[in-house]
Amino acid sequence: MAIKRKFKWVLIIFSSLFILLILSFFLLRNNILQSKISSIQERLKKEYHADLFIEGAKFSGLNNVSFKHIIFKPEAGDTLLKIDSIGSSLNLFKLLFGKIKLNHLFLKDAEINLIKKTKGGNNFSFLFKKEKDSLKTDERNYSNRINELADRFYDKIPASFKLKNFKMKVRRESDGFNLSIPDLNFSNDSLNADSILIIEGKKNLYLNLKGSLNTDKRTGSFTLNSSDSKKTHLDFLEKWKHLKLAFHSLNLSIKQFDNSSDNTIIIGNLRADSLLINHPKLTTTDAFIKNFSFDFKINAGKNNIALDSSSAITLNKIILNPYLNYIHKSNKEKEYFLKLNMPSIIANDFFSSLPDGIFDATNQIKANGSFSYHLDFYMNSKQPDSLKFHSSLKSNNFKINQFGKANLAKMSGPFEYTAYSYGMPVQSFIVGPENPSFTPINDISPYLKNAVLSSEDGIFYFDNGFNEEMFAKAIADDYKTGKFTRGASTITMQLVKNVYLSKNKTVGRKVEEALIVWLIENNHLCSKDRMFEVYLNIIEWGPGIYGIGEASQFYFNVKPSKLNLSESIFLASIIPSPKWFQYDFEENGKLKEDRLGFFKMMSGILYKKGIITEEMYNDFKPEVKLKGKAKSFIIPKGGLPKN
């Protein structure tokens, strides 16, 4: 009985203290509010060198607070934010412990100005530096970091909010755009904003935004589309990032967000209808995809982040299942995994699904059968030379019935070829007997043919157009040097690039190049001998010199069949940089010392292949005497004469 009385008195005391605390807060709430505002102002001043001005701030009732005439700006910069009035209700429990959490928010006549000046500098980047530095978690604990970022975002979202007359002005050097939202409402987890206006110069774009957001489950869905039937063109992306983007509707959904200290799973979807995209690194023309979607599952752990293999990219009827995994073992050791699978697809469905504007040569091919694709890649940063790479496109009863825009079998007979220099067409000629400079494969010196094969593509007659070992070595070398220093193109790939495709270096062109190589090699559209014959008759061997017929005359004043061992090795050596052959020679016309190693190495390869005898190898002296017009290109002592 005594214990019950004591418990009753403890309960009365704590209840009284809590009521006293509430009463004290009610009486002092405006003082507490002003103190909190002053604290925020001091922090912004100290850490961000920014000023926050609030003309009026006060409580009405227990937890309703209003602000008038707010201005936020960096100390030395243009005003970033102006708001006429804010009305909100605060979470009283969190406020008692010094934390601000909004239950409801009403914002009227707000304007954000993002300004980047021509001479450098802006009025907004100061915010992100501090945010980046303030992350408390270990930057390699990806799960914790994602959770912290998610908490920061979702915890700041009120249970409901309403924006009235919101504007944003973006100025970048000499251009920019204005964004205006007359009304935006969020309540009961539903988000809605109609008649969003984007003004770029004289162009007006009206958009609708609809969505849902569950702050407790960390999920949501947002759909953006045009107010009329026209596509949404975001022109400012093209001006600023050279990205042309248009769509009828765009939807992003986060369907699941599960987290723990060492594992976070995010499942969602990105979808676009009638997507148009153009970027210099992807394609030089507008690429159109009627139906695009990306179903993703992201797994973030303590030291790794991965895109799960259950993820799927859909391009019309093509489905790709990617798998990516980045593992941070230490500051000096990282692992990279990449897998890409394309399940079996009917051939006609595949070709009709290729994006217009990227796959011009192969789009709309008609064929029987089906095929599937698999890519497997692994690299350890401490051992890049042990890199693993495997790519396989497998067909089932595949047969081409009709070509698309390009006749992929045209190399098997005479055809017109156009040579390019620095992206511009410079010369067109027939690759066949009608051209007096054309040289049949059997009329070319075996030394030249084998020297070129050994230096450019040693397994040309045995591969299917791809050399995975050479490609893996190229990636490893590029990783070690931090730049693109080594190519991995086979002779077939070089032919396809020159004969069928544009000279623009884009991702789209490289993918189509690989597809055409597979189609030619696996469907035997052109024999290996004919491909090598075409290659030797179209490649550039010097400034304006195309084909071995012209090259043998230009350098040595002989026919291709009469080229000796040294001359053949020299011609093979200049293929990567034919315009600068003169820099291989001293001013007296002799080969430079640093070029002799290549000649010795190549002669050894030809000896091992049985192309030259042991006696020829032992007696070989790398001497090249220019006898044709090329002699006049050698830079004499003292440099070229002034005109």
Side-chain angles (χ1 to χ4, degrees):
M1 197 69 178
I3 294 175
K4 288 185 177 180
R5 282 199 298 269
K6 286 181 179 180
F7 179 76
K8 181 179 180 181
W9 277 106
V10 169
L11 186 61
I12 291 172
I13 290 170
F14 272 101
S15 299
S16 300
L17 287 174
F18 184 74
I19 292 171
L20 183 61
L21 184 62
I22 295 293
L23 182 61
S24 299
F25 172 77
F26 183 77
L27 295 173
L28 299 173
R29 65 195 188 286
N30 282 310
N31 291 333
I32 295 173
L33 178 62
Q34 293 300 328
S35 175
K36 189 65 179 178
I37 291 173
S38 297
S39 175
I40 293 173
Q41 288 173 325
E42 289 176 8
R43 182 177 171 228
L44 290 172
K45 192 85 168 177
K46 181 180 178 180
E47 297 185 10
Y48 293 89
H49 303 290
D51 294 317
L52 174 65
F53 302 100
I54 301 176
E55 188 174 308
K58 64 178 182 178
F59 271 94
S60 58
L62 185 62
N63 64 339
N64 293 324
V65 64
S66 63
F67 301 88
K68 292 285 187 181
H69 309 304
I70 302 104
I71 294 177
F72 180 52
K73 64 185 292 294
E75 287 180 349
D78 298 286
T79 297
L80 177 61
L81 173 66
K82 290 193 300 184
I83 304 175
D84 180 68
S85 62
I86 298 177
S88 64
S89 64
L90 303 178
N91 186 311
L92 184 58
F93 181 77
K94 288 185 178 290
L95 190 62
L96 289 173
F97 291 92
K99 295 183 179 180
I100 295 178
K101 170 66 176 178
L102 301 180
N103 283 334
H104 306 284
L105 174 69
F106 174 73
L107 188 147
K108 181 183 178 184
D109 295 332
E111 183 176 305
I112 295 177
N113 294 288
L114 302 177
I115 300 172
K116 184 176 181 180
K117 296 183 178 180
T118 305
K119 295 183 179 180
N122 59 63
N123 70 333
F124 52 84
S125 61
F126 70 96
L127 290 170
F128 305 111
K129 294 176 183 177
K130 289 296 178 182
E131 282 291 317
K132 186 177 180 180
D133 295 340
S134 63
L135 287 173
K136 297 177 182 178
T137 55
D138 181 353
E139 65 176 358
R140 286 187 296 277
N141 191 324
Y142 298 106
S143 178
N144 281 356
R145 188 172 186 184
I146 289 173
N147 288 330
E148 185 173 334
L149 291 171
D151 289 343
R152 287 186 174 194
F153 173 73
Y154 285 103
D155 285 348
K156 288 179 171 61
I157 298 176
S160 67
F161 61 84
K162 181 178 179 65
L163 273 63
K164 188 77 173 177
N165 192 25
F166 173 84
K167 295 180 180 179
M168 182 171 71
K169 294 181 180 180
V170 180
R171 293 289 176 268
R172 178 181 177 271
E173 298 174 350
S174 59
D175 55 32
F177 68 90
N178 294 347
L179 170 69
S180 175
I181 305 178
D183 287 287
L184 186 147
N185 296 284
F186 174 70
S187 62
N188 298 321
D189 294 342
S190 180
L191 179 70
N192 185 60
D194 293 328
S195 301
I196 299 173
L197 173 62
I198 297 179
I199 302 175
E200 295 184 68
K202 297 181 179 179
K203 180 180 177 181
N204 291 352
L205 175 64
Y206 289 94
L207 302 172
N208 295 326
L209 174 65
K210 296 184 184 298
S212 62
L213 191 64
N214 189 314
T215 56
D216 293 328
K217 293 183 178 180
R218 305 304 202 236
T219 59
S221 178
F222 306 93
T223 300
L224 186 68
N225 54 36
S226 177
S227 297
D228 53 34
S229 59
K230 296 180 181 178
K231 280 187 181 180
T232 298
H233 288 262
L234 303 179
D235 292 345
F236 65 91
L237 290 176
E238 185 175 5
K239 293 177 183 176
W240 298 353
K241 298 297 181 181
H242 308 292
L243 172 63
K244 188 174 182 180
L245 186 66
F247 50 84
H248 279 155
S249 68
L250 186 69
N251 175 266
L252 172 64
S253 297
I254 304 297
K255 301 176 181 179
Q256 184 177 333
F257 190 103
D258 296 331
N259 64 288
S260 64
S261 59
D262 290 332
N263 188 47
T264 296
I265 298 175
I266 303 173
I267 298 176
N269 169 270
L270 175 65
R271 186 179 71 252
D273 295 328
S274 299
L275 178 66
L276 184 149
I277 188 168
N278 187 336
H279 189 276
K281 291 185 177 181
L282 176 65
T283 176
T284 57
T285 56
D286 294 345
F288 177 73
I289 305 171
K290 186 176 181 181
N291 297 303
F292 167 84
S293 70
F294 176 30
D295 294 290
F296 56 85
K297 180 180 180 182
I298 298 171
N299 295 304
K302 188 174 181 180
N303 67 341
N304 82 296
I305 186 165
L307 179 66
D308 193 82
S309 59
S310 62
S311 303
I313 300 171
T314 302
L315 306 172
N316 298 323
K317 295 180 181 180
I318 298 173
I319 298 175
L320 303 171
N321 297 115
Y323 168 75
L324 297 166
N325 193 6
Y326 168 76
I327 302 175
H328 190 119
K329 289 193 165 184
S330 68
N331 287 333
K332 294 184 178 180
E333 185 176 8
K334 305 170 185 66
E335 288 185 316
Y336 306 88
F337 294 84
L338 167 63
K339 294 180 185 290
L340 184 66
N341 284 300
M342 182 183 73
S344 181
I345 183 174
I346 296 173
N348 280 340
D349 287 344
F350 174 82
F351 288 112
S352 65
S353 295
L354 293 175
D356 293 330
I358 299 182
F359 295 86
D360 286 339
T362 52
N363 204 343
Q364 302 305 321
I365 285 177
K366 304 296 182 183
N368 294 330
S370 61
F371 44 71
S372 59
Y373 177 73
H374 175 72
L375 169 70
D376 201 346
F377 172 87
Y378 166 78
M379 187 182 76
N380 185 300
S381 62
K382 288 187 72 174
Q383 300 173 315
D385 289 326
S386 63
L387 179 148
K388 297 178 181 178
F389 176 85
H390 175 66
S391 175
S392 174
L393 184 62
K394 295 182 179 180
S395 62
N396 182 25
N397 298 320
F398 178 78
K399 181 182 178 182
I400 298 175
N401 297 322
Q402 177 184 317
F403 293 119
K405 292 182 179 179
N407 177 8
L408 301 184
K410 73 176 183 179
M411 282 195 304
S412 59
F415 68 97
E416 185 177 59
Y417 172 74
T418 300
Y420 283 74
S421 180
Y422 301 110
M424 299 296 294
V426 292
Q427 188 177 337
S428 295
F429 52 87
I430 298 296
V431 183
E434 299 174 38
N435 181 355
S437 296
F438 174 79
T439 308
I441 189 74
N442 293 328
D443 292 340
I444 299 174
S445 165
Y447 301 137
L448 186 280
K449 289 186 288 187
N450 282 280
V452 171
L453 286 172
S454 297
S455 62
E456 293 298 304
D457 188 354
I459 58 172
F460 169 72
Y461 276 94
F462 309 100
D463 64 22
N464 62 351
F466 303 96
N467 189 326
E468 291 185 355
E469 182 180 353
M470 185 166 65
F471 193 81
K473 287 180 179 179
I475 297 175
D477 288 347
D478 292 344
Y479 180 83
K480 288 186 288 186
T481 59
K483 56 184 178 180
F484 294 105
T485 57
R486 176 174 177 157
S489 293
T490 62
I491 284 177
T492 310
M493 292 170 74
Q494 293 179 56
L495 271 176
V496 166
K497 176 178 65 178
N498 288 316
V499 174
Y500 296 104
L501 302 174
S502 70
K503 302 304 176 284
N504 301 297
K505 296 181 179 180
T506 64
V507 173
R509 195 211 71 185
K510 292 298 293 183
V511 174
E512 186 171 32
E513 176 187 310
L515 178 58
I516 295 175
V517 167
W518 184 88
L519 290 170
I520 290 174
E521 290 276 6
N522 287 271
N523 292 275
H524 309 293
L525 301 181
C526 186
S527 70
K528 286 284 191 178
D529 274 345
R530 172 57 179 170
M531 280 194 281
F532 192 35
E533 181 179 77
V534 171
Y535 178 79
L536 294 173
N537 276 277
I538 69 170
I539 63 171
E540 187 177 17
W541 297 87
I545 306 300
Y546 295 94
I548 188 59
E550 291 185 3
S552 58
Q553 290 292 327
F554 177 73
Y555 290 103
F556 306 113
N557 203 23
V558 297
K559 292 183 178 181
S561 60
K562 301 298 182 182
L563 292 167
N564 64 32
L565 182 58
S566 285
E567 293 166 345
S568 296
I569 293 176
F570 165 74
L571 288 174
S573 74
I574 65 172
I575 290 176
S577 302
K579 285 184 170 67
W580 313 110
F581 76 90
Q582 64 266 39
Y583 294 102
D584 288 351
F585 294 89
E586 302 284 359
E587 57 197 28
N588 59 6
K590 292 186 66 175
L591 275 173
K592 288 184 177 179
E593 198 74 25
D594 60 1
R595 301 301 296 151
L596 302 183
F598 178 84
F599 281 72
K600 194 65 178 175
M601 177 194 72
M602 192 58 65
S603 65
I605 292 174
L606 296 180
Y607 165 59
K608 290 178 180 178
K609 287 185 173 182
I611 306 303
I612 62 175
T613 64
E614 183 177 3
E615 182 181 3
M616 290 179 66
Y617 172 67
N618 292 330
D619 294 340
F620 177 65
K621 294 180 180 179
E623 295 178 346
V624 176
K625 294 182 180 180
L626 299 177
K627 301 172 185 177
K629 293 181 180 179
K631 280 179 65 176
S632 62
F633 283 74
I634 302 303
I635 301 174
K637 188 175 182 180
L640 295 172
K642 295 182 180 179
N643 292 328

